[in-house]
């Protein structure tokens, strides 16, 4: 719990059988997490058994893809603060506190893995991936005139429950580039957001996306196309003064 608000952590799993139990236990060990929701997205055999050894709640999403699993997790989460993370060991549960601190002032908090000093030795963040994520994030920042963005692919994120519900209701991308749409839906909703640096560790096992340069390039191109389409059909983000007024009225 954080300042009287329940905290839900959502983990989407496909190929993380060997790391998921430790990640779940790590989040509960922070003392800040009220529930962990694991979305089984046709996961490896044995994953369910690992989850059953923890306090996490398991739900199933038969439609394959990161976007489909994320939508299901957002719908299932019960907390006022919903945190998306990875069960592959690349993120530190202890970094949750960074997201929670800024949730007092913002509706969404996005992690970034592009801070060089926080990229661990052996982490899958090559020059190409680091600067590719930075470039696509900057494209969003420029086209939508937003606050600072430096990593479009970081999946360690916090959404307040109203923003989580908005994203779940409007998410159209079922595949790996859904991460960009989550950012875009947050921006175009007028939600207040900030980006904070998080640690990035070596992955347990091999990623089906960033582990293959060709797949990573394909995801990046899909993200860029999505960003351009969204910019053509959506307004820029509301100015800060107007945003504060509109949200304060909505909460009154």
């Amino acid at each position: 719990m954080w300042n009287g608000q329940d905290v839900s952590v959502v983990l989407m799993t496909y190929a993380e059988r060997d790391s998921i139990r430790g990640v779940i236990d790590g989040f509960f060990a922070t003392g800040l997490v009220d529930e962990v929701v694991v979305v089984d997205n046709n996961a490896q055999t044995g994953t369910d058994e690992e989850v059953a050894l923890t306090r996490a709640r398991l739900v199933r999403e038969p439609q394959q893809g990161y976007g489909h699993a994320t939508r299901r997790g957002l719908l299932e989460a019960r907390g006022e603060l919903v945190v998306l993370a990875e069960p592959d060991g690349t993120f530190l549960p202890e970094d949750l506190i960074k997201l929670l601190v800024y949730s007092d002032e913002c509706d969404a908090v996005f992690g970034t893995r592009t801070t060089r000093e926080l990229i661990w030795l052996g982490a899958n963040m090559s020059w190409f991936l680091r600067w590719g994520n930075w470039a696509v994030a900057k494209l969003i920042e420029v086209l939508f005139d937003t606050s600072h963005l430096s990593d479009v692919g970081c999946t360690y994120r916090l959404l307040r429950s109203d923003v989580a519900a908005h994203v779940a209701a409007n998410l159209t991308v079922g595949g790996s580039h859904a991460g960009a749409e989550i950012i875009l839906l947050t921006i175009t909703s007028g939600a207040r957001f900030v980006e904070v640096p998080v640690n990035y560790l070596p992955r347990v096992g091999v990623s089906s996306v960033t582990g293959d340069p060709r797949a990573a390039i394909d995801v990046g191109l899909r993200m860029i196309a999505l960003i351009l389409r969204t910019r053509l059909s959506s307004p820029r983000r509301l100015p800060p003064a107007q945003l504060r007024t509109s949200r304060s009225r909505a909460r009154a």
Side-chain angles (χ1 to χ4, degrees):
M1 183 169 286
W2 177 259
N3 289 344
Q5 303 166 97
D6 286 347
V7 178
S8 297
V9 172
V10 176
L11 303 173
M12 293 71 67
T13 182
Y14 175 66
E16 295 84 17
R17 177 190 59 208
D18 297 331
S19 57
I20 192 167
R21 182 181 175 187
V23 172
I24 294 169
D25 290 342
F27 273 110
F28 278 123
T30 65
L32 298 168
V33 175
D34 295 279
E35 70 165 355
V36 174
V37 178
V38 175
V39 182
D40 181 341
N41 198 206
N42 303 308
Q44 287 175 303
T45 301
T47 301
D48 291 2
E49 288 76 5
E50 290 295 310
V51 175
L53 296 172
T54 73
R55 295 162 51 198
R57 176 163 57 94
L58 183 71
V59 298
R60 303 187 191 281
E61 174 50 58
Q63 292 190 84
Q64 192 67 56
Y66 174 76
H68 293 305
T70 300
R71 183 189 302 109
R72 180 61 185 271
L74 293 175
L75 292 171
E76 292 282 347
R78 300 165 179 164
E80 289 94 342
L81 302 174
V82 182
V83 177
L84 300 175
E86 295 286 351
D88 59 7
T90 52
F91 296 127
L92 286 178
E94 295 91 330
D95 275 346
L96 174 64
I97 187 68
K98 299 178 183 178
L99 309 184
L100 291 172
V101 166
Y102 281 96
S103 73
D104 292 338
E105 299 176 337
C106 295
D107 305 300
V109 186
F110 300 136
T112 174
R113 308 159 298 170
T114 58
T115 304
R116 185 175 59 181
E117 287 75 11
L118 298 184
I119 301 173
W120 290 37
L121 183 66
N124 186 24
M125 186 54 67
S126 64
W127 180 94
F128 174 77
L129 286 175
R130 181 179 175 218
W131 289 105
N133 274 289
W134 179 89
V136 178
K138 289 302 174 186
L139 178 64
I140 295 176
E141 184 179 331
V142 170
L143 291 182
F144 291 87
D145 191 23
T146 73
S147 301
H148 174 79
L149 288 171
S150 63
D151 187 359
V152 74
C154 183
T155 52
Y156 206 175
R157 297 166 173 173
L158 179 149
L159 305 174
R160 299 193 66 87
S161 57
D162 57 340
V163 178
H166 173 76
V167 170
N170 294 279
L171 195 65
T172 63
V173 174
S176 299
H177 58 299
E181 189 174 27
I182 293 172
I183 294 177
L184 294 170
L185 287 170
T186 301
I187 292 170
T188 56
S189 73
R192 300 169 297 178
F193 73 91
V194 70
E195 185 182 70
V196 298
V198 296
N199 287 275
Y200 193 55
L201 285 65
R203 188 190 197 281
V204 177
V206 179
S207 170
S208 59
V209 178
T210 57
D212 182 347
R214 291 171 299 180
I217 291 172
D218 180 67
V219 169
L221 292 175
R222 290 174 183 269
M223 285 183 174
I224 292 171
L226 174 66
I227 292 164
L228 296 176
R229 288 197 306 270
T230 303
R231 182 62 192 90
L232 291 174
S233 61
S234 303
R236 288 177 182 263
R237 183 169 179 260
L238 295 172
Q242 182 181 351
L243 175 62
R244 285 195 293 269
T245 301
S246 64
R247 291 195 68 84
S248 62
R249 287 175 180 171
R251 291 174 175 172

